[in-house]
């Protein structure tokens, strides 16, 4: 048993879609979340840079006592997950990979849309998922340029967001997809708009519930669960502007209001994250 927090990070607010699910499944667990808004978006950055950011953020979260790290960012998982497991062998990690497996298992048209950043599509994690699970299905991919920035601006339903999503989804619909995989943790915040565009006949897969279940399994395996009567706390940190981050939270319509939430800023200094 351990009341230490679960460490979670992303380039920005995207990983909060994962945090909410973890919170819902394990309300007694404390979490510490770091949004690297000083560097968002990660998608267009070189792999080595995203790997370096991920390593330093992990170091910081561990210095804050994190008992398990969730890389709540597909791009950072693609760039750094293997590296992180190598340099922190004692730490349990949970990473993100596009949910191609459940999509391939349930599609009836045999055509699946995948939305993710170009860095995620180029990584070996995606290549391995495709090789293992998508032999008999056709994957249609889109990088949705600019979508992460719109979500970071709290623009979940506006015109610009709709234009980006329509540009990505309409050709997929025309090609006959019946499933869309959200391969970037920012995108679930746009699910109402995505569902409006694709209509009721298309299944939208957000991997967050499965990721949260994996967190639970790992905590159990390592004997790290918090006692069920613990009051889990939530600490949200940004490497960007504290007030801007705090004012963005209500626009994301996430249900964390009843919890004890502390929002604070941290800084990058000499290549490391500091209080
Ligand atoms: N949430 C990140 C992901 O899952 C965002 C990518 C970005 O910062 O470009 O890929």
């Amino acid at each position: 048993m351990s009341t230490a927090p679960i460490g979670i990070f992303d380039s920005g607010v995207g990983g909060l879609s994962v945090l909410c699910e973890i919170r819902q499944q394990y309300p007694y667990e404390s979490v510490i979340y770091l949004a690297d808004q000083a560097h968002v978006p990660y998608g267009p950055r070189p792999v080595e840079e995203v790997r370096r950011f991920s390593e330093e953020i992990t170091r910081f979260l561990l210095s804050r006592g994190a008992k398990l790290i969730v890389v709540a960012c597909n791009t950072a998982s693609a760039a750094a997950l293997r590296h992180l497991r190598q340099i922190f062998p004692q730490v349990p990690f949970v990473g993100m990979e596009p949910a191609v497996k459940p999509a391939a298992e349930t599609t009836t048209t045999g055509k699946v849309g995948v939305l993710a950043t170009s860095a995620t599509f180029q990584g070996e994690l995606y290549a391995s998922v495709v090789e293992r699970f998508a032999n008999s299905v056709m994957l249609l991919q889109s990088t949705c340029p600019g979508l992460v920035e719109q979500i970071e601006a709290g623009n979940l339903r506006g015109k610009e967001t709709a234009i980006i999503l329509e540009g990505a989804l309409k050709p997929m619909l025309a090609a006959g997809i019946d499933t869309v995989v959200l391969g970037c943790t920012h995108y679930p915040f746009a699910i109402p708009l995505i569902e409006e565009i694709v209509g009721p006949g298309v299944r939208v897969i957000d991997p967050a519930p499965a990721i949260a279940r994996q967190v639970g399994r790992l905590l159990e395996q390592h004997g790290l669960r918090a006692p069920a009567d613990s009051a889990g706390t939530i600490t949200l940190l940004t490497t960007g502007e504290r007030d801007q981050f705090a004012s963005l939270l209500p626009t994301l319509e996430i249900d964390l209001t009843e919890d004890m939430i502390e929002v604070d800023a941290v800084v990058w200094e000499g290549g490391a994250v500091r209080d």
Side-chain angles (χ1 to χ4, degrees), residues 88-113:
F88 302 107
Q90 76 288 5
V91 177
F93 282 95
V94 175
M96 310 290 304
E97 60 181 28
V100 168
K101 184 176 180 225
E105 282 167 358
T106 54
T107 176
T108 53
T109 62
K111 290 175 184 155
V112 171

Side-chain angles (χ1 to χ4, degrees), residues 10-11 40-43 73-75 117 148 184-186:
D10 178 45
S11 59
V40 69
Y42 276 3
C73 174
N74 290 74
T75 307
T117 67
V148 168
C184 169
T185 53
H186 278 75

Side-chain angles (χ1 to χ4, degrees), residues 48-67:
E48 298 71 30
E49 194 178 34
V50 175
R51 195 174 292 148
R52 187 160 48 79
F53 295 155
S54 302
E55 180 179 330
E56 289 308 322
I57 292 168
T58 299
R59 236 179 257 292
F60 173 79
L61 292 171
L62 293 174
S63 78
R64 287 285 196 103
K67 59 183 172 184

Side-chain angles (χ1 to χ4, degrees), residues 20 122 149 153 163 165 184 211 224 231:
C20 288
Q122 281 157 26
E149 288 89 333
I163 290 170
L165 282 168
C184 169
I211 294 298
L224 289 172

Side-chain angles (χ1 to χ4, degrees), residues 67-222:
K67 59 183 172 184
L68 174 149
I69 302 286
V70 184
V71 185
C73 174
N74 290 74
T75 307
S77 296
L81 191 57
R82 211 160 58 139
H83 173 73
L84 294 174
R85 287 190 168 127
Q86 263 163 15
I87 57 171
F88 302 107
Q90 76 288 5
V91 177
F93 282 95
V94 175
M96 310 290 304
E97 60 181 28
V100 168
K101 184 176 180 225
E105 282 167 358
T106 54
T107 176
T108 53
T109 62
K111 290 175 184 155
V112 171
V114 186
L115 310 182
T117 67
S118 54
T120 296
F121 284 130
Q122 281 157 26
E124 47 187 65
L125 209 54
Y126 184 66
S128 128
V129 164
V130 171
E131 196 188 302
R132 280 180 291 149
F133 307 119
N135 284 324
S136 56
V137 301
M138 185 183 192
L139 298 178
L140 293 99
Q141 304 167 358
S142 174
T143 58
C144 299
L147 186 54
V148 168
E149 288 89 333
Q150 293 300 331
I151 308 280
E152 283 290 316
N155 184 8
L156 311 187
R157 288 201 182 84
K159 197 157 177 244
E160 297 91 335
T161 309
I163 290 170
I164 296 168
L165 282 168
E166 280 169 7
L169 294 166
K170 291 239 161 115
M172 295 181 178
L173 291 169
I177 59 156
D178 64 355
T179 312
V180 177
V181 172
L182 304 184
C184 169
T185 53
H186 278 75
Y187 302 169
F189 289 116
I191 283 179
L193 182 55
I194 293 171
E195 286 181 339
E196 218 170 275
I197 296 168
V198 299
V202 173
R203 179 177 174 221
V204 179
I205 303 185
D206 170 10
I211 294 298
R213 286 194 294 276
Q214 174 63 3
V215 168
R217 275 192 292 270
L218 269 191
L219 288 177
E220 192 67 52
Q221 262 172 36
H222 290 261

